[in-house]
Amino acid sequence: WYARFADLLAAQRPDGAVVATPNRLHVEHGLEAVAAGIPALVEKPLADTVAGAERLAAAADAAGVPVLVGHHRRYNPIVRAAKAVIDEGRLGRILAVHAQFWLLKPDDYFAADWRRAPGAGPVFVNLVHDVDLLRHLCGEIAAVQAAESSAARGYAVEDTAAILLRFASGALGTATVSDAAAAPWSWELTSGENPAYPRQDAGCYRIGGSAGALEIPQMDLWSYPGKRGWWEPLARERLAVAPADPLPLQIRHFCDVIRGRAAPLVPAREGLAALRVIAAIKEAARSGGTVAIV
């Protein structure tokens, strides 16, 4: 145990560092790792501000030191299978997207003061995962509109939000968020990824295209087997996916990056891009207008 990351570096040189300190320290500790030439896996979000994330990503690029972001869902076989379906063109052109994060955080979750403070709500803490996946599956998000509410609990932080997403491709999406809704529609409760959450037989993402639609995480693929149109029956195919815990997969990948056997699957700039979208959502909720992602 060391009081400071610098003390650790003075005593020994690790092959890599997992930065799982509080969000406000991610940039400081990430920069120390980069300066020491040590590859780092930084827990999401990459930073607590866009400016900080930009500093860390730029430093990693300049030094040629790998910095990965802990958007671990990308390693899940479900996500890999969904990405393959989209990349193979089985949905055609992506037109509409919907993501839900609806669940109920218990009262004791908010015993810690910081969880009732601005910046600790579900948009920043939870939706950043969903934003990363939507970007990964459907492409860059160009602009957002948003509204937030704290009506359920009355805290200084939101408990519910609704977001309109405009993708660079022209696709449109919606995302709704609530950590006060007694509901099953969230990645946490539907994917079976974390055994701490009871798995529900429901979905949380829908992606619709000109040739078909996909429900995730059930991996139900909807399409017309013959003549197309709303009078014709749709066929549903449930795609088989072998489950695997993405956290060990992420660590194994990090080890391969350290050894020089792989390029980062989620490099710092991917974490920066997700954080930019979250910052734009918060700004749109404050202003009531449309905010472009620069």
Side-chain angles (χ1 to χ4, degrees), residues 239-254:
L239 305 178
V241 179
D245 188 336
L247 291 174
L249 296 176
Q250 178 178 243
I251 289 295
R252 289 173 194 151
H253 171 71
F254 184 37

Side-chain angles (χ1 to χ4, degrees), residues 128-145:
V128 67
H129 272 306
D130 302 295
V131 163
D132 177 69
L133 282 193
L134 292 182
R135 289 184 53 256
H136 179 57
L137 296 173
C138 303
E140 292 298 339
I141 297 168
V144 301
Q145 294 172 265

Side-chain angles (χ1 to χ4, degrees), residues 65-69 74-75 253 257 262-268 270:
V65 176
V67 172
L68 293 71
V69 187
R74 289 209 199 183
Y75 301 86
H253 171 71
V257 170
L265 178 65
V266 192
E270 287 292 285

Side-chain angles (χ1 to χ4, degrees), residues 65-278:
V65 176
V67 172
L68 293 71
V69 187
H71 286 296
H72 68 278
R73 293 181 189 175
R74 289 209 199 183
Y75 301 86
N76 193 308
I78 296 169
V79 174
R80 291 178 180 267
K83 178 68 170 168
V85 166
I86 293 169
D87 289 349
E88 290 164 6
R90 298 183 70 180
L91 303 187
R93 179 178 178 178
I94 302 301
L95 301 172
V97 181
H98 180 60
Q100 286 180 274
F101 173 83
W102 292 15
L103 49 62
L104 180 64
K105 292 178 181 174
D107 292 342
D108 57 9
Y109 175 88
F110 299 95
D113 291 345
W114 69 269
R115 286 179 166 165
R116 303 190 300 273
V123 170
F124 197 89
V125 172
N126 304 109
L127 187 68
V128 67
H129 272 306
D130 302 295
V131 163
D132 177 69
L133 282 193
L134 292 182
R135 289 184 53 256
H136 179 57
L137 296 173
C138 303
E140 292 298 339
I141 297 168
V144 301
Q145 294 172 265
E148 293 181 348
S149 171
S150 57
R153 299 189 182 97
Y155 295 151
V157 65
E158 83 282 350
D159 52 57
T160 306
I163 300 116
L164 177 64
L165 308 165
R166 181 177 293 276
F167 290 82
S169 66
L172 295 178
T174 54
T176 51
V177 178
S178 181
D179 65 5
W185 301 297
S186 66
W187 182 266
E188 285 79 357
L189 298 184
T190 62
S191 68
E193 186 175 272
N194 186 339
Y197 300 107
R199 187 173 189 177
Q200 309 297 318
D201 184 18
C204 59
Y205 301 149
R206 289 188 176 97
I207 302 173
S210 57
L214 184 65
E215 287 186 283
I216 304 170
Q218 311 100 305
M219 295 300 291
D220 284 343
L221 178 60
W222 296 83
S223 62
Y224 289 105
K227 187 177 178 181
R228 293 155 46 87
W230 62 1
W231 289 290
E232 307 302 324
L234 282 156
R236 179 174 69 177
E237 176 188 3
R238 178 156 290 191
L239 305 178
V241 179
D245 188 336
L247 291 174
L249 296 176
Q250 178 178 243
I251 289 295
R252 289 173 194 151
H253 171 71
F254 184 37
C255 292
D256 285 339
V257 170
I258 291 170
R259 295 184 177 109
R261 298 174 183 171
L265 178 65
V266 192
R269 291 208 170 271
E270 287 292 285
L272 169 59
L275 193 59
R276 280 183 174 141
V277 175
I278 293 298

